[in-house]
Amino acid sequence: MISTELTINFPRLQKDLREISAIGMGKNRGVYRQAFTENDLQARNWLIEKISEAGLELKVDGAANIIARYVSNETKRPSILIGSHIDSVPAAGTLDGTLGVLTGLEVLRSLKENNVQLEYPVELASFSDEEGRFGGLFGSQSFIGRVTPESIHNAKDLSGTTLIEAMENCGYDAMQALNARRTPESILCYLELHIEQGPVLDSLRIPLGVVSKISGLFKWKISLIGRADHAGTTPMNMRADALAGLSEFIVEIPRLLEENGNENSVMTVGKVELHPGVANSVPGRVEFSIDARSTEKDILHEMNEAARKTLSAIARRRKLMFEFQILSEVEPVDCDQEIISTIRESISEMNTEFHELPSGAAHDAQILAHITPVGMIFVPSKDGRSHSPAEWTDWDHMRLGAEALLKTVCKISEKNKNKLQENHYG
Ligand code: HGY
Ligand code: MN
Ligand code: MN
């Protein structure tokens, strides 16, 4: 039986967070740790050093996922896997992904320092490029064997840098990602602690969240192509103005979601580039991103169809062409009911309030869900802010989240031990 006094070393977690937050901290206190950049590499090296210092087994797989492992009894049993990411979007906060990796590291260190005897190894994975500089969830997709030589070869960021080049600059061979696949039998289940990145827990003043389902998404890069013309001499009715086309599409988004989405549906145009992009030329070409999300697979499909139809109707009416590139498509998933109830039990034993809610953000957990049962613990985001330097979570909520993660790992080991014994006598 595992001692109820078992706890994490919170001051150490705070110190870790302060240290890694300084890596890639740029202007206006934003974090710039995009995947396979110099800053990401520095953070990777920092994490590798922490894992080695803790005396945990360390591995960097073919997709450059950093993996730590704690084994109490030499067993060939599958691992309880904890994961998240330390790469960030540009001008990010300090917690998105990183808090999940650091609390996972703290769980493994606490288990090891207290020589806790579990029935299963416990692993921590810091997955590469979760944020999708090169499409999305590259590290966890490789971990479950969903990358191909073609998908690796074609992956590039919005400025045209290829994944192969970026990984090579960091000393990795991208094609080795083909060797990162882990068999489903080697993983018992997957847990991820993450900031909510939305306003629900903060507005309810509830310290912890248990995730019921994780939104799916599609992410496109679109080019609308009209004709660059003189801004002074071209009559309005003779223009093929690409930006006017995009502007009309953006105005259509609320109607498109009302007709085809549900209360969890969102659609965002987050990046726009104009060509030639000067005041006295009619925009002949506009390149932009569409990021659309829903918790329901069929609704996401409706949104996808509706967006395509709306774009082609606008292009036709305005004499524009449009090119289309799918950057990423990720299915929505349900979290595992047994893990959900184990997380609920753990938090209840801590006499702490929690709320069950869906995740609007994508997470590595929804990739792992294709090979193993998954569960997620949320901590509140102040004012619901994320992907911004305003991102923050109360220290006490971080501590509660880490304690809940540790408790859940021990509970899962206990529950499955009994299951194993049942199987043994079954
Ligand atoms: O985009 C997302 O939902 C996540 O932050 N990668
Ligand atoms: Mn994240
Ligand atoms: Mn993110």
Side-chain angles (χ1 to χ4, degrees):
M1 189 58 186
I2 292 149
S3 121
T4 47
E5 274 68 62
L6 179 66
T7 179
I8 55 127
N9 178 335
F10 187 58
R12 177 169 57 188
L13 176 57
Q14 287 181 297
K15 179 171 172 292
D16 283 351
L17 184 60
R18 289 193 181 103
E19 283 179 14
I20 195 171
S21 299
I23 301 174
M25 175 80 65
K27 54 183 188 303
N28 65 32
R29 294 190 55 71
V31 172
Y32 295 78
R33 267 200 321 255
Q34 293 90 308
F36 301 119
T37 58
E38 180 47 40
N39 290 336
D40 180 36
L41 193 55
Q42 261 189 55
R44 288 169 167 276
N45 292 334
W46 177 90
L47 178 61
I48 285 169
E49 206 179 302
K50 289 292 175 185
I51 291 169
S52 312
E53 265 171 32
L56 295 163
E57 282 178 41
L58 167 68
K59 178 184 170 197
V60 180
D61 73 10
N65 296 318
I66 299 168
I67 299 166
R69 184 172 150 96
Y70 168 69
V71 191
S72 40
N73 322 314
E74 275 315 306
T75 69
K76 293 277 167 279
R77 289 189 191 141
S79 296
I80 298 170
L81 176 65
I82 301 170
S84 203
H85 61 96
I86 56 174
D87 68 292
S88 80
V89 294
T94 56
L95 302 175
D96 175 357
T98 305
L99 185 62
V101 172
L102 295 187
T103 49
L105 175 61
E106 191 46 47
V107 165
L108 266 70
R109 284 188 297 212
S110 302
L111 291 170
K112 182 171 173 60
E113 286 160 1
N114 293 282
N115 191 26
V116 176
Q117 297 303 300
L118 293 179
E119 297 305 318
Y120 297 86
V122 184
E123 293 189 65
L124 164 68
S126 176
F127 290 114
S128 299
D129 190 21
E130 187 276 348
E131 288 294 2
R133 176 185 171 194
F134 297 100
L137 304 153
F138 165 71
S140 46
Q141 302 254 31
S142 306
F143 193 86
I144 72 162
R146 278 178 92 173
V147 289
T148 63
E150 196 199 11
S151 67
I152 295 170
H153 183 265
N154 294 340
K156 59 173 76 144
D157 69 10
L158 288 174
S159 65
T161 305
T162 66
L163 173 65
I164 291 173
E165 287 163 333
M167 286 186 75
E168 201 174 351
N169 293 341
C170 293
Y172 301 113
D173 168 6
M175 283 300 163
Q176 290 304 312
L178 298 168
N179 306 326
R181 179 178 179 274
R182 285 284 289 273
T183 61
E185 301 69 42
S186 72
I187 309 290
L188 179 71
C189 67
Y190 176 80
L191 295 171
E192 182 164 1
L193 180 143
H194 206 286
I195 54 171
E196 180 201 333
Q197 300 183 289
V200 175
L201 295 174
D202 188 47
S203 56
L204 294 172
R205 299 265 178 277
I206 289 181
L208 292 179
V210 185
V211 177
S212 52
K213 50 176 75 178
I214 309 170
S215 291
L217 64 89
F218 58 84
K219 201 161 38 171
W220 298 340
K221 179 180 176 184
I222 311 267
S223 300
L224 273 179
I225 302 143
R227 202 184 56 225
D229 276 318
H230 194 294
T233 57
T234 314
M236 295 308 282
N237 65 356
M238 289 176 68
R239 296 181 174 203
D241 181 335
L243 180 59
L246 170 56
S247 312
E248 189 176 338
F249 176 76
I250 291 173
V251 168
E252 284 287 284
I253 289 177
R255 172 202 55 81
L256 198 155
L257 293 182
E258 266 155 41
E259 291 170 4
N260 304 279
N262 68 358
E263 70 287 355
N264 294 318
S265 298
V266 287
M267 189 176 286
T268 312
V269 173
K271 183 174 169 93
V272 179
E273 266 185 34
L274 293 187
H275 304 279
V278 288
N280 55 352
S281 292
V282 174
R285 181 187 182 96
V286 60
E287 287 168 2
F288 60 98
S289 62
I290 293 181
D291 173 312
R293 321 252 177 140
S294 172
T295 52
E296 310 308 324
K297 195 171 175 182
D298 54 344
I299 286 190
L300 206 54
H301 178 74
E302 301 289 312
M303 290 161 63
N304 189 309
E305 288 293 297
R308 287 172 196 257
K309 281 185 193 140
T310 305
L311 276 167
S312 54
I314 290 170
R316 228 182 357 265
R317 199 171 336 106
R318 290 180 172 271
K319 300 189 290 303
L320 304 173
M321 301 253 291
F322 82 100
E323 286 164 9
F324 192 90
Q325 187 191 346
I326 297 174
L327 295 176
S328 148
E329 287 184 327
V330 183
E331 289 162 34
V333 297
D334 292 335
C335 290
D336 178 78
Q337 282 306 324
E338 219 177 294
I339 298 183
I340 288 174
S341 57
T342 306
I343 297 173
R344 293 168 72 105
E345 276 170 44
S346 304
I347 300 174
S348 305
E349 283 172 18
M350 295 162 56
N351 297 318
T352 301
E353 217 186 340
F354 62 84
H355 173 69
E356 200 165 311
L357 73 167
S359 170
H363 297 290
D364 290 308
Q366 71 200 100
I367 301 301
L368 271 290
H370 290 282
I371 65 163
T372 194
V374 304
M376 288 193 76
I377 296 169
F378 269 177
V379 291
S381 293
K382 272 240 166 294
D383 306 323
R385 301 295 304 275
S386 182
H387 281 194
S388 144
E391 182 181 279
W392 187 244
T393 296
D394 284 351
W395 285 116
D396 201 38
H397 294 159
M398 293 191 218
R399 182 184 58 75
L400 288 169
E403 298 287 5
L405 185 62
L406 175 61
K407 224 178 221 324
T408 302
V409 166
C410 296
K411 251 181 201 305
I412 287 172
S413 171
E414 281 301 294
K415 284 185 174 185
N416 285 277
K417 170 171 107 179
N418 306 335
K419 208 186 274 181
L420 269 169
Q421 279 167 350
E422 278 158 34
N423 293 347
H424 183 65
Y425 301 113

